[in-house]
């Protein structure tokens, strides 16, 4: 008998990330045998086409993990916290896209381009996927760190509304509708708030014609959870527990595609041209850097694509050891579904039954 391909469960198959995951499973190399789509009871019974076959979504329950080798979780933190251990106890490797286990010392935080070897080190049977903002940025930072030795990171993020789920996308579109055609909007204080009204969705202020310097929940000393995630996760993925990181996370009226302006300080001097060449050859990175021709990495171009798009690469004017660059990527793909799928693909050969 030949190799039997491992069985996969996708938990949260009908959500924003789960939907992208189903598309990826249809378009990437097929390493899976049976695929089970799992969601909350209210989504159960839906039909989704994966790899050309129509699959019926089943409700989340302990028995859905019977005989499953890998379970990909695209669900909120509290659902993962409860159910990933259930999947692991049933013998599956749980690959979790939520924040529930990222900082657990017994759970590896894996980015296949950077630390694939960590996927084997999973005492709890769980592997975590990084936050979408960290992921896009870290794929570009890791090769530079290997060459020059990273010391400090200062990051300003420009985060798309899809980072707060489908409700974020719907909120932006609703507000665009309310603002359309009114050419006086934004010309005086209060008129955007007036036009939008009280329906702010998941945001603390109107998102249309605005940028909101807030993403996530409030943590100590005025930092947001998104900002502390960038610091904690960058340290863990790169294996640099003392890395100095300062982040400011900003929500912008972009549908999909998180961007970051990065100031990275290294242990040795850097040349912009050498760094650009290094990034051109880095896995999962595409360099778009020709300001004279108006070519920059932007979310409207990166959406729906896999790589991290990097540009505006320049050496800091006041520090020969520092680089400044701009990076953007699809927060639902590399930032979420794609990285989770890639981790699953790392595991598949190990779990195939010969």
């Amino acid at each position: 008998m030949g190799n039997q391909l491992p069985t996969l469960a996708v938990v949260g198959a009908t959500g924003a990330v789960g939907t992208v995951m189903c598309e990826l499973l249809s378009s990437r190399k097929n390493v899976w045998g049976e695929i089970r789509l799992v969601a909350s009871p209210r989504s159960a019974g839906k039909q989704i086409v994966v790899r050309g076959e129509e699959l019926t979504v089943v409700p989340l329950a302990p028995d859905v993990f019977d005989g499953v080798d890998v379970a990909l979780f695209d669900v909120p933190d509290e659902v993962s916290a409860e159910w990933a251990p259930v999947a692991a106890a049933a013998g599956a490797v749980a690959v979790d896209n939520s924040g529930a286990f990222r900082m657990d010392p017994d759970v590896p935080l894996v980015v296949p381009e950077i630390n694939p070897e960590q996927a084997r080190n999973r005492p709890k049977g769980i592997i975590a996927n990084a936050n979408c903002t960290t992921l896009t940025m870290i794929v570009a930072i890791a090769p530079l760190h290997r060459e020059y030795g990273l010391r400090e990171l200062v990051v300003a993020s420009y985060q798309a509304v899809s980072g707060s789920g489908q409700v974020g996308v719907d909120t932006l579109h609703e507000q665009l509708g309310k603002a359309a055609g009114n050419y006086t909007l934004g010309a005086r204080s209060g008129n955007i708030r007036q036009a939008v009204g009280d329906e702010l969705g998941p945001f603390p202020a109107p998102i249309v014609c605005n940028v909101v310097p807030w993403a996530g929940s409030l943590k100590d000393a005025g930092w947001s959870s998104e900002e502390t995630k960038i610091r904690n996760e960058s340290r863990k993925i790169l294996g640099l527990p003392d890395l100095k990181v300062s982040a400011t996370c900003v929500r912008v009226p972009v549908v999909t595609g998180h961007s970051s302006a990065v100031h990275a300080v290294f242990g040795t001097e850097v040349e912009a041209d050498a760094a650009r060449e290094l990034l051109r050859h880095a896995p999962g990175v595409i360099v778009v850097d020709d300001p004279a021709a108006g070519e920059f990495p932007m979310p409207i171009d990166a959406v729906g694509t896999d790589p991290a798009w990097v540009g505006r690469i320049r050496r800091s004017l006041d520090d020969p050891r520092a680089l400044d660059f701009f990076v953007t990527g699809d927060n639902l793909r590399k930032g979420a579904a794609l990285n989770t799928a890639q981790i699953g693909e790392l595991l598949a050969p190990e779990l195939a039954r010969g």
Side-chain angles (χ1 to χ4, degrees), residues 41-220:
R42 67 193 155 86
S43 297
K46 271 191 183 162
Q47 304 272 313
I48 298 177
V49 176
V50 179
R51 300 185 300 188
E53 70 182 298
E54 204 166 18
L55 302 180
T56 304
V57 178
V58 297
L60 180 54
D63 63 358
V64 301
F65 301 111
D66 291 352
V68 168
D69 298 293
V70 177
L72 307 179
F73 283 81
D74 294 309
V75 291
D77 292 16
E78 60 279 8
V79 182
S80 284
E82 181 183 347
W83 287 94
V86 174
V93 179
V95 183
D96 181 35
N97 191 29
S98 84
F101 299 98
R102 286 177 193 148
M103 299 322 296
D104 184 323
D106 291 329
V107 175
L109 187 59
V110 175
V111 182
E113 291 91 339
I114 301 171
N115 58 352
E117 72 290 342
Q118 288 295 321
R120 289 183 174 272
N121 170 30
R122 42 173 200 268
K124 289 189 172 172
I126 301 171
I127 297 173
N129 196 32
N131 178 34
C132 43
T133 317
T134 309
L135 261 172
T136 298
M137 178 189 82
I138 210 80
V139 175
I141 287 167
L144 296 169
H145 163 57
R146 279 199 279 270
E147 188 70 22
Y148 304 113
L150 187 64
R151 296 283 191 271
E152 295 177 34
L153 271 182
V154 181
V155 183
S157 74
Y158 305 78
Q159 296 181 215
V161 294
S162 59
S164 33
Q166 189 57 44
V167 63
V169 178
D170 294 344
T171 300
L172 175 59
H173 283 301
E174 280 157 18
Q175 292 182 7
L176 280 167
K178 290 175 178 174
N182 184 344
Y183 287 16
T184 64
L185 275 192
R188 63 165 206 277
S189 178
N191 70 358
I192 297 267
R193 288 184 185 272
Q194 209 172 349
V196 165
D198 295 333
E199 286 165 37
L200 299 177
F203 312 115
I207 191 68
V208 71
C209 303
N210 195 23
V211 297
V212 182
W214 188 256
S217 53
L218 185 59
K219 296 295 178 192
D220 291 346

Side-chain angles (χ1 to χ4, degrees), residues 237-274:
I237 293 164
L238 296 172
L240 296 172
D242 302 318
L243 182 66
K244 291 182 180 177
V245 183
S246 192
T248 302
C249 290
V250 182
R251 192 72 71 181
V252 295
V254 166
V255 175
T256 296
H258 286 355
S259 309
S260 296
V262 179
H263 175 79
V265 184
F266 298 95
T268 53
E269 287 199 16
V270 287
E271 289 291 342
D273 285 342

Side-chain angles (χ1 to χ4, degrees), residues 229-351:
K229 280 175 193 172
I230 289 178
R231 177 171 179 259
N232 297 338
E233 296 175 22
S234 296
R235 288 173 158 191
K236 186 168 176 177
I237 293 164
L238 296 172
L240 296 172
D242 302 318
L243 182 66
K244 291 182 180 177
V245 183
S246 192
T248 302
C249 290
V250 182
R251 192 72 71 181
V252 295
V254 166
V255 175
T256 296
H258 286 355
S259 309
S260 296
V262 179
H263 175 79
V265 184
F266 298 95
T268 53
E269 287 199 16
V270 287
E271 289 291 342
D273 285 342
R276 200 173 285 115
E277 201 48 34
L278 192 76
L279 288 169
R280 275 208 177 94
H281 295 103
V285 174
I286 184 167
V287 174
V288 183
D289 195 6
D290 190 351
E295 290 181 5
F296 315 104
M298 293 180 286
I300 58 165
D301 301 316
V303 64
T305 72
D306 291 344
W309 294 46
V310 186
R312 298 298 323 281
I313 301 161
R314 56 218 189 274
R315 184 160 89 165
S316 172
L317 292 174
D318 302 311
D319 186 348
R321 297 169 309 126
L323 268 186
D324 289 273
F325 59 89
F326 193 82
V327 55
T328 190
D330 185 321
N331 50 296
L332 302 177
R333 286 175 85 89
K334 183 58 186 173
L338 174 64
N339 200 71
T340 313
Q342 287 173 309
I343 295 170
E345 288 163 12
L346 272 182
L347 299 168
E350 179 196 333
L351 300 171

